[in-house]
Structure formats: structure tokens, C-alpha cells
Amino acid sequence: MSRWLLSYRGYDPEAEGVREALCTLGNGYFATRGAQPEATADGFHYPGTYIAGCYDRLASTVVGRTVVNEDLVNAPNWLPLTVRVENGPWLGPAVLSSSSSLLSYRQELDLRRGVLTRLLRFADEAGRVTRMAQRRLVSMDDPHVAALETTIVAENWSGRLEIRSALDGRVTNAGVDRYRLLNGAHLVPASEGGHQSETVWLTCRTATSDVGIAVAARTRVDAADKRTAHEERGWIAHDLVVEAAEGVAITVEKVAALYTSRDRAVEEPGEAARTHTDRATGFDELLERHTLAWGRLWRRCQLGVDREDVQRVLNLHMFHLLQTVSEHTVDLDVGVPARGLHGEAYRGHVFWDELFVLPFLTLRFPEIARSLLLYRSRRLPEARWAAREAGHRGAMYPWQSGGDGREETQRLHLNPRSGRWLPDHSHLQRHVGLAIAHNVWRFYEATGDAEFLAEYGAEMLLEIARFFADLATYNRTLDRYEIRGVMGPDEYHDGYPDRDEPGLDNNAYTNVMAAWVLCRALDVLALLPGDRRDELRERLGLTREEITRLEDVSRKMRVVFHDGVISQFEGYANLEELDWEGYRHRYGDIRRLDRILEAEGDSPNRYKASKQADVLMLFHLLSREEIDTILARLGHTPAPDLINRTTAYYLPRTCHGSTLSSLVHAWLMARVDGEDAWRLFMDSLNSDIGDSRHGTTAEGIHLGAMAGTVNLVQRCYAGISTQGTVLHIDPRLPAGVGEVRLGLRYRGHWGIDVSVRHDRLRVALNPGVAFPIEVACGGETAVIEPGGSWETPLLDGRPAA
Ligand code: BGC
């Protein structure tokens, strides 16, 4: 097994969906699923191409109601390429699925170079055997270009070989079965055309967002006959006829270019796409430049463990992360779609998942992290509007965000188990704003980018803090502030069993994070240079009285406890215990406990049963010191074992319905129980590569979980954190790993190498680093000079002190 290769042997239509998602190629500007070039959407295959930030909104009618949804648009398919031998059947799923015609099949994704290869041999009824090798890339060098090279060898025959190379703009958004009742016709064809010689193109517009999309393809082969075929709107092809000679390789090169009317330095996307394909070099040169671009990325992604099996999955996760958001994203106005650019689940929306993505990027590609924060900053006016509409000050960010930053969360969802469409209250997850504020602050800590903070970050942080201070109501009897009617990260609880209106009171995660964010907002005010601060306060109309209120709420937010642990929300203690054993026995996999209970006419709201970490997210995001400080500020004296007790309490009451869940629990368990922690870590590594959520990977990767595993190695196993101006390293190396190595960029310094083994920590600075860096581990601190290094002993992979 290579740490850089994802390989599949044999062709299995049932497995295609997952392979397509995992073999997606992309460059941050667009991505194309790893579908067979000859396949169309047929229930097994789903060739999707998604352009970052290209959304469209359509109305649909379900159960008699009109619902409006915004989708990440499935763009025209540039891939189609198929062949046939002597007027036989076209190569396609029927040929691939027949054991008499398919002789061998292999597919490999080279993660280091970003190349998808397919090798197959097939035969026709007359015994003619044909061999095909295909290589595909979506250029990391030139974000508008993709290429497919096909080499065909007639093994034991000579004769007529037909090749059809097409562009298909008839595609719809139909990749998720649960959304099948929803309108997915986002593309309106505009024009198609072709040169007899090599190039065809098509243009279309999105139905309501009116984005022009153009794709052109140049197909080169030494053909006897070349014709364009144009049988219907939205589809155009080149039909090429080649005289194949036994044993002689025929190479077909398809180079495609994709543009939209939103691209910069472009007059008209159709022309841009055509010019680009005309000017493009051949496959080999494109490949060389693409490989060099990937090489540069990987040099900045030094994150290694000394276990091949683990490293391979971590590489896969970093690979998909960089294909979703890359250096090409920096110039775009896009956020982090929860399912990558890899499928249509969650409609390409942006949730809170960047929380798991940014820590990795910030310490390697701060410019990408910054651009993702700017996506939020540009949507601050919309978030302000939403807050005002809800009767509050400040900014209320949407739980699901897409094109313009309005709330995109669906109001109805389908339970496939019961077939019922149900109200969806998940927009009540106001905590998304807290995640954004947290990300702003951590970005500032890790980069020291004071300009970003002053220009953009401070305003977001203050407006979010303001919203939460205003959302909180004062309970005079308790002398506490309370936040009512929200949902925490655990989406299986959206209300009280005996209350009609949805929402929960005093969700601990929301309340504690709000208090923490309020403190950071006050810090920011203190940090900004006087003139910038006065300017900002004036612009926001932030009065001294309001600042006093922020301060007051940050000290008096209510946190409810029961049985010596933090309660997930007020009233949690009164819920019933679920019969976990009984449900496991009856259903086996109970990760979608919400669907199971609803289908039984019951509801998770009645039980102490969570989808994913909720209270425990606090311990994931905040260090022990930060937890102690914030709880003390709120007037609590946390018992020394509060974190461990709370973790031990909620873990058995969680069914890991989200891929984020095992990840967060693996992190927390790493403090206490090595074996459990390792099992949970392996479970989160397996989320997509093992499709552990039964079919959901086919609908798109789980980017938060992918990035989260990498983050776990960095922030938990190596223990890197960036609070203040000191690089803290507090390792917790598991027994399953002998060494973790990281190469980091910290506060503008490139070239900080960290190696953690069970017996020692070593930090080395490249000579090129401009300034000394202060490092702290287990109570010891050191100042490392450029070119210098520092070692300190560890005991079983943890600080000895
Ligand atoms: C999780 C959310 C997450 C979303 C998108 C849901 O299943 O519960 O926490 O943000 O998926 O990844």
C-alpha cells in the first residue's frame, strides 16, 4: 500500500458513487467527480462538475408547499468520451458490467500528482480485444483547465475505431436521492458550436442567478474523419474516426476550459473558454505544470505520522481539502462547502465546518484562510439585516450560507425511513456566528495579522458579540443572562417534548462560547490602535453603555449543571435515558437515531441521546486554561475533573450521527483513554474512505471530518496551539503512532519543524526564519533562534512535567 495511492481493482457499479466522490479532481476553482468519461447519470454513475461559489435558486413544490432552495450548480460535463469498435456498442456501463466483455479494470488516484488513471481491457462478440489507458487532471496550475488523455490499443484487430468526445450541458442537479422531488434544472442552454477541426463549445446560464457558464473542449487525435455532432440543445460532440492498426497505440487528447461570467479579466466566458483551449499546450506539458503546482502545495503540507495506513488517509484528506479550497480560491468569493466540490449533499452550502478546516490552513496557507474569512466578512451586511429582522442588534450569521449570505437552511426535510417530510428547525443553530468569531480570533493569534483584524476581523467579532449580548435576556431572580430558543450543535434536539415552539434554553455550548466571544470582542477593542477603535465604534454606533452590557453578559451568562457535569441545555437532566442496548440490538446501526425514532412516532427530544458532541465541543475548541478562565469569570469553580467527567457522561449518550462526532470524541478521549481514543480516531479516518455513513460519501465527501482528522494530528497529538504570542506544544501522542512531524508557518515565519516522539519533542527553525520564536511545552519555555533547535524530554508522548 502506498501512502500516495488510492487504487481500485475491478468494476462495480454499486461502488461507483463512492469512488466518484473519492476520485474527484479539483483545484479550488472547480472540481469534477471521478466518474467514467462514458457514463451519464443513471442511478449508479453521477458525473458532476461544480464551480466554487456558483449557486442558483429554484422553487419546488413538496407535499403541497412551495419551497425554495439554493444549490451549488452542477455545471456542464466536460468529460464525455467514448469509443466503439467496428460499429459495435459504444463503450459504456453495459460493456463494463458484462463479465464477457470486460477483461480487466483498474483505477488509481495518485494523490501526490493529482492524476486519476484508469486501465481497462474489453472485448467484443467477435473476440476483438481493445486496451485503454486514461489519465485525467484538473489543473492545479491553471484553474480553468482540465484534461483527459486516452491511449487505445487494438490488441488483436485492425479496423474502424470511432471516438465521440462531447460536452453535455443537459445535466441537472440530481445527485441526491432525497432531493429528487426538488427542482434541479439550473442550467439554461444558450449556445453550442464547433470547429470541424478540433474544438467544440457550449454556453449556458444559470436559471435565476444568471451566471454565464462556458466550456470548450479541444480533442486531438490523428483521425481520418472528423465531424461535429449537434443533436440537441445543450449537447455537442466531435465524432472522430480512426483506422486502428493492430498493436499500434492511438492517443486521444481532450483539453477543456471552463469559465463563468463572474471571472475576472474576462470579457465573455464563451470566448475566454475557446481562446483558452486554443492556446492550451498538450497533455504532457499540462501534466508537468500541474505536477509542479501540486509539489509546491505538498511542500507546505508537511504533516507526517510513521504509519503508512494512517498517512495514506491523512494524505487523501489533505488532498481533498486542497482541491476544495486552494490558492485559486484566494481571488474568489467563496466559503467552505461542507461536502467539498464533490457532490450535491447539503447543496454545496457552507455551515460551521470551517471551524475544522481553518486551523490546518492558517498554519500553512494563511492567505487561503484569510480569503475564507473574507467570505464571511462580505456577508456581514446580510447577517446584520437578519439580526435586525429578528429584532436584534449586531450580526446573525445563517446556519447554512451560500451565494449572498442569507439563511439557506431548508424548512422541510425528508425522513427516507418514514417517507415523511418534516419541519426542519436547524436554522436555530445560532452558534454558527460564534464559530466565525472564534475563527477570526484564532486566525489573528496564529498569524499576528493585525491589519486583517483592524480592517475586517474586529468588525465581524464585535457585531457577532453584540448579537449574542442582545439575544441574551436578563433573569433578575438568578442575576444571570439566558439565551432561549436556540439549537446547539447536537441536531437531534430541536425542542422540548412538552413545548410547541422549537428551540432549547441555555444550551451550554452556545452560552459559554458567547461569553468567550464577548471577552475576545473586549480584547479586540483594547488591541486596536486608538484611532481605528474610535472610527469603528463610531461606525457601529457602539456606545459605552453597550460595551458595559457586553462586559456584564460575559460575566453572567447562565450555565446549567447536573450530576457534576455541564448540562447540554436547561432541562436536559429531566430527559429519559434511551435504551441504547435495545436500539442497537433492534437496528444495528443507530447513527441516524433521529430517523429511527421519528419513524416509530417518537422523537430524540425525549431522550438523553445526542447526534454529536455538543457541550464537549467547548473542550475541543478551548484549551483547559481557557475553559477554567471562562467558567471562573462566570462565577463557577470547576472541579479538576469536570472535563473528564463531562466527557465520560456524554460519550455513551452519543450515537455519532455526524462524521464530526467521532473526531471530536477521539480528541477528548486522547486525554483519558488511549484505546477508546484510537478507535474513535480510526473511525473518523474511515468516514469517507470506508463510507461509514452508508452511502453518504457518494453524495460528497465530509470535508469537516477530513480536515478535522488532520487537525487532530496537529492540535491534539502534536498539541500545537497558538494562544497569545507563544507557540504552545502540549503533545498527547497515542501509542499507535511512533512519531508525528509537522512543518509550520507561524506568525509570518516559514520553516518551523516540529517532531514529537514518545520520548522527546524537538522544534527546529530554518535559518531563513526572520525572528526568534518562543515555544512552551509542559511548563518549560524556550526562545529558539533562527537556524536553532530545542529538545525537551517527553514521557509516553506527553510533557514530562
Ligand atoms: C452536522 C453539522 C455539520 C453539517 C455539515 C451535519 O450533519 O450535524 O454539525 O455542520 O452536517 O457538515
Side-chain angles (χ1 to χ4, degrees):
M1 179 201 306
S2 155
R3 56 173 59 187
W4 291 108
L5 226 48
L6 189 65
S7 336
Y8 300 98
R9 274 177 199 281
Y11 173 76
D12 173 7
E14 300 284 344
E16 276 296 290
V18 174
R19 287 189 193 182
E20 287 176 356
L22 292 176
C23 293
T24 295
L25 295 180
N27 57 24
Y29 173 79
F30 80 102
T32 296
R33 285 164 66 87
Q36 314 304 336
E38 59 280 348
T40 51
D42 61 2
F44 295 107
H45 307 87
Y46 193 74
T49 287
Y50 307 95
I51 304 169
C54 182
Y55 293 100
D56 189 60
R57 187 181 304 282
L58 285 176
S60 321
T61 307
V62 278
V63 287
R65 265 179 68 176
T66 302
V67 292
V68 178
N69 285 301
E70 190 194 48
D71 286 298
L72 185 70
V73 172
N74 183 14
N77 184 14
W78 65 271
L79 265 180
L81 189 126
T82 183
V83 299
R84 67 171 167 175
V85 172
E86 294 286 10
N87 291 322
W90 289 101
L91 175 65
V95 173
L96 296 181
S97 304
S98 140
S99 55
S100 58
S101 49
L102 187 69
L103 306 178
S104 68
Y105 192 92
R106 241 171 70 201
Q107 182 172 319
E108 263 177 14
L109 175 63
D110 177 343
L111 301 169
R112 185 156 31 191
R113 299 191 312 150
V115 177
L116 180 63
T117 305
R118 190 168 79 132
L119 303 168
L120 60 148
R121 287 174 73 238
F122 56 95
D124 65 9
E125 279 177 357
R128 282 182 282 248
V129 177
T130 308
R131 189 165 74 231
M132 181 187 266
Q134 249 168 354
R135 295 190 293 173
R136 182 193 308 184
L137 61 88
V138 170
S139 177
M140 196 48 100
D141 174 60
D142 180 338
H144 297 280
V145 167
L148 175 72
E149 183 209 57
T150 309
T151 306
I152 304 155
V153 179
E155 285 194 1
N156 59 355
W157 58 277
S158 296
R160 181 184 163 92
L161 177 78
E162 282 173 84
I163 301 157
R164 171 164 271 194
S165 170
L167 295 174
D168 191 356
R170 301 164 308 176
V171 296
T172 60
N173 275 58
V176 176
D177 209 33
R178 287 183 306 289
Y179 306 161
R180 67 185 175 279
L181 290 183
L182 306 175
N183 189 351
H186 292 291
L187 293 184
V188 181
S191 69
E192 300 88 29
H195 294 315
Q196 228 32 8
S197 52
E198 347 184 274
T199 306
V200 288
W201 64 85
L202 66 82
T203 65
C204 51
R205 300 200 76 82
T206 54
T208 61
S209 57
D210 201 28
V211 180
I213 304 177
V215 55
R218 180 188 78 194
T219 308
R220 276 190 183 155
V221 62
D222 195 5
D225 184 32
K226 300 178 178 182
R227 263 175 302 132
T228 48
H230 183 201
E231 291 157 10
E232 53 179 307
R233 289 311 309 272
W235 182 90
I236 187 151
H238 253 127
D239 281 339
L240 308 151
V241 180
V242 178
E243 284 309 319
E246 184 175 334
V248 179
I250 298 161
T251 301
V252 189
E253 236 187 53
K254 181 173 188 181
V255 176
L258 182 68
Y259 275 87
T260 78
S261 53
R262 297 229 175 117
D263 290 324
R264 301 187 190 188
V266 163
E267 192 176 291
E268 190 275 309
E271 195 208 344
R274 281 191 297 277
T275 311
H276 218 72
T277 37
D278 288 348
R279 292 182 187 167
T281 56
F283 187 88
D284 285 339
E285 203 173 316
L286 289 174
L287 175 63
E288 195 185 323
R289 297 191 63 82
H290 167 72
T291 309
L292 283 172
W294 266 109
R296 286 195 295 277
L297 291 183
W298 285 121
R299 273 201 297 282
R300 287 169 74 171
C301 290
Q302 314 264 343
L303 182 138
V305 298
D306 60 349
R307 275 189 57 157
E308 289 280 296
D309 57 339
V310 173
Q311 186 70 51
R312 184 173 74 116
V313 186
L314 292 173
N315 287 347
L316 178 76
H317 290 182
M318 289 187 273
F319 177 73
H320 284 306
L321 175 57
L322 292 173
Q323 295 202 110
T324 309
V325 288
S326 78
E327 286 166 337
H328 303 301
T329 310
V330 174
D331 237 16
L332 305 175
D333 175 31
V334 300
V336 179
R339 306 300 283 273
L341 298 171
H342 298 57
E344 291 166 15
Y346 294 142
R347 305 187 174 87
H349 291 167
V350 179
F351 296 61
W352 70 330
D353 304 50
E354 67 221 45
L355 199 57
F356 300 88
V357 170
L358 289 179
F360 173 76
L361 291 177
T362 301
L363 288 175
R364 291 172 181 80
F365 304 95
E367 63 287 2
I368 304 179
R370 186 177 184 278
S371 81
L372 297 170
L373 293 171
L374 288 182
Y375 165 83
R376 296 299 195 172
S377 168
R378 290 187 202 102
R379 285 152 185 79
L380 184 57
E382 186 63 33
R384 275 199 190 106
W385 170 257
R388 210 163 34 247
E389 284 290 282
H392 295 294
R393 290 165 186 249
M396 181 170 92
Y397 275 93
W399 171 238
Q400 294 188 27
S401 179
D404 63 12
R406 76 181 83 164
E407 180 59 80
E408 302 292 354
T409 306
Q410 71 282 3
R411 294 305 166 108
L412 282 181
H413 69 241
L414 175 72
N415 179 0
R417 196 178 264 278
S418 68
R420 280 190 285 266
W421 285 86
L422 305 157
D424 189 317
H425 303 299
S426 52
H427 66 279
L428 293 175
Q429 290 184 74
R430 303 287 177 232
H431 64 83
V432 62
L434 300 167
I436 295 168
H438 169 270
N439 294 340
V440 166
W441 182 257
R442 292 290 191 233
F443 177 79
Y444 168 68
E445 281 184 329
T447 60
D449 189 342
E451 199 45 43
F452 170 81
L453 191 69
E455 234 0 78
Y456 308 102
E459 192 171 350
M460 278 194 277
L461 228 159
L462 279 165
E463 287 288 69
I464 293 169
R466 249 180 152 179
F467 168 70
F468 280 92
D470 199 49
L471 187 64
T473 50
Y474 184 59
N475 180 329
R476 195 168 297 280
T477 320
L478 299 174
D479 188 24
R480 287 279 175 193
Y481 288 92
E482 304 188 299
I483 295 181
R484 301 194 168 273
V486 298
M487 273 173 73
D490 162 27
E491 298 180 324
Y492 288 178
H493 286 101
D494 67 353
Y496 292 97
D498 51 359
R499 210 193 260 178
D500 286 342
E501 69 275 22
L504 301 158
D505 302 336
N506 294 311
N507 168 251
Y509 173 75
T510 306
N511 286 15
V512 175
M513 281 307 289
W516 185 87
V517 164
L518 285 162
C519 294
R520 301 295 75 80
L522 297 168
D523 287 350
V524 162
L525 281 177
L527 258 169
L528 287 181
D531 52 336
R532 304 290 290 261
R533 179 179 53 234
D534 296 345
E535 208 180 279
L536 187 60
R537 276 189 52 190
E538 185 188 296
R539 201 145 45 81
L540 300 183
L542 189 62
T543 59
R544 194 150 295 285
E545 295 70 59
E546 203 182 339
I547 296 177
T548 309
R549 160 108 179 175
L550 302 186
E551 166 91 37
D552 200 40
V553 180
S554 78
R555 293 185 183 280
K556 293 186 182 164
M557 193 66 97
R558 183 160 176 216
V559 184
V560 182
F561 294 81
H562 72 277
D563 298 347
V565 304
I566 301 176
S567 303
Q568 190 170 310
F569 47 82
E570 187 184 349
Y572 180 92
N574 305 330
L575 302 183
E576 290 174 37
E577 292 287 0
L578 184 87
D579 173 15
W580 291 92
E581 272 321 299
Y583 273 91
R584 286 208 174 91
H585 183 70
R586 238 178 307 156
Y587 291 97
D589 185 344
I590 57 163
R591 279 180 275 212
R592 291 312 306 250
L593 187 64
D594 58 333
R595 292 180 178 165
I596 292 175
L597 289 171
E598 194 279 329
E600 288 181 345
D602 204 345
S603 158
N605 281 335
R606 293 182 49 218
Y607 302 101
K608 290 181 172 128
S610 304
K611 176 184 189 185
Q612 67 198 85
D614 192 301
V615 178
L616 301 185
M617 275 303 295
L618 290 171
F619 311 143
H620 181 70
L621 295 184
L622 306 181
S623 67
R624 182 178 284 270
E625 294 69 39
E626 286 175 310
I627 293 282
D628 287 349
T629 310
I630 195 72
L631 288 179
R633 186 181 175 94
L634 293 170
H636 300 287
T637 317
D641 64 347
L642 176 75
I643 295 183
N644 291 351
R645 266 184 82 101
T646 308
T647 307
Y649 181 87
Y650 286 102
L651 182 57
R653 293 175 172 83
T654 304
C655 64
H656 306 301
S658 161
T659 52
L660 298 172
S661 188
S662 30
L663 173 78
V664 174
H665 288 95
W667 185 297
L668 299 169
M669 292 305 286
R671 281 180 216 265
V672 277
D673 181 328
E675 264 179 44
D676 259 359
W678 187 252
R679 183 183 51 73
L680 288 160
F681 176 58
M682 293 308 267
D683 185 43
S684 32
L685 282 182
N686 203 35
S687 292
D688 279 319
I689 201 168
D691 189 21
S692 66
R693 263 65 183 175
H694 307 300
T696 60
T697 297
E699 302 168 346
I701 53 156
H702 298 82
L703 198 62
M706 282 195 165
T709 54
V710 177
N711 190 19
L712 190 142
V713 171
Q714 171 175 300
R715 279 185 56 223
C716 176
Y717 292 168
I720 305 282
S721 69
T722 54
Q723 292 138 41
T725 52
V726 179
L727 184 66
H728 293 266
I729 309 182
D730 181 15
R732 263 178 260 160
L733 200 61
V737 167
E739 184 181 11
V740 169
R741 291 174 315 280
L742 304 172
L744 303 176
R745 176 169 183 169
Y746 170 61
R747 294 182 87 84
H749 304 283
W750 246 130
I752 301 163
D753 294 320
V754 178
S755 148
V756 180
R757 294 200 321 222
H758 285 273
D759 59 345
R760 65 115 179 94
L761 160 72
R762 181 167 196 277
V763 187
L765 258 61
N766 283 348
V769 172
F771 305 102
I773 286 182
E774 195 175 347
V775 183
C777 173
E780 278 194 64
T781 57
V783 175
I784 312 176
E785 297 294 329
S789 64
W790 178 62
E791 269 195 34
T792 187
L794 299 179
L795 200 61
D796 294 332
R798 289 164 191 242

